[in-house]
Amino acid sequence: LVLVLVAGALVAGCGEDEEDLEVMEGEPVELGELLYNVQITRFLNPGDPEDEAYLRGQPGVPPDEEYLAVFMAVENEGDEPEQLADEMTIADTRDNTYEPLDSDSEYALELGVTIPPGDEVPAPDTPAASGPIQGGMALFRVDRDVTENRPIDLRIPSESGEEAEVQLDI
């Protein structure tokens, strides 16, 4: 009986760790020493003057695609430099996946950058940190019907092989 209880506790403990890596937008998720917090996700309109700075350097999209921006802040809570994930993907319920785009925007999140201990990205006093959303942007080009295949998850890998999933609120 004791062995069954111990085994059950171990299995339950493993499940809790896994659940900690699956959060909703707005809830922080910790991968190693990095704390990721997706603040807002929204579609960008190339014809809207407010979105011009976010889409700097991006070509137009065909009628069946849209730009989706995921704004986040990432903090290094450790005592050593940590590397921000250099790859992230968005996936819908049909396993369609989308890779982040290279961006010339001053609001872009620089994937793969090293974050010193105690620092965060976007760095203070940058347009991304002091802008209206106060987060760095990961920009994706997605199918227009992506919202029909919700929930949509942002998948963030870590150097240790773990992967966090943030359910986006779109």
Side-chain angles (χ1 to χ4, degrees):
L1 181 59
V2 171
L3 289 175
V4 170
L5 291 174
V6 170
L10 288 174
V11 169
C14 291
E16 288 176 11
D17 289 344
E18 204 170 284
E19 287 178 21
D20 290 344
L21 295 177
E22 295 178 8
V23 299
M24 302 292 291
E25 182 174 307
E27 296 175 12
V29 62
E30 192 170 329
L31 275 174
E33 297 296 328
L34 294 180
L35 186 66
Y36 290 81
N37 192 349
V38 174
Q39 295 153 316
I40 189 170
T41 302
R42 71 178 187 88
F43 289 101
L44 299 179
N45 180 350
D48 186 343
E50 182 180 330
D51 290 347
E52 282 179 16
Y54 299 129
L55 293 171
R56 183 168 290 128
Q58 297 298 325
V61 291
D64 61 338
E65 294 183 344
E66 293 188 67
Y67 285 112
L68 182 65
V70 179
F71 294 90
M72 69 184 81
V74 184
E75 182 180 349
N76 180 354
E77 296 183 313
D79 297 326
E80 300 292 327
E82 295 286 333
Q83 184 178 352
L84 181 70
D86 59 355
E87 299 176 10
M88 297 180 184
T89 56
I90 289 180
D92 65 19
T93 56
R94 295 184 183 235
D95 286 327
N96 297 314
T97 58
Y98 305 94
E99 304 288 329
L101 302 171
D102 290 331
S103 177
D104 295 333
S105 173
E106 59 193 355
Y107 297 95
L109 183 67
E110 189 177 344
L111 297 178
V113 69
T114 298
I115 306 172
D119 279 0
E120 60 190 72
V121 292
D125 300 325
T126 62
S130 57
I133 298 176
Q134 299 178 349
M137 173 190 69
L139 184 63
F140 298 84
R141 197 165 143 174
V142 299
D143 293 333
R144 184 173 292 275
D145 64 357
V146 73
T147 57
E148 295 174 19
N149 303 322
R150 288 186 277 182
I152 310 297
D153 293 324
L154 174 68
R155 296 178 179 163
I156 309 168
S158 72
E159 291 180 357
S160 70
E162 292 181 304
E163 182 177 81
E165 287 191 14
V166 180
Q167 189 174 64
L168 302 177
D169 184 19
I170 56 171

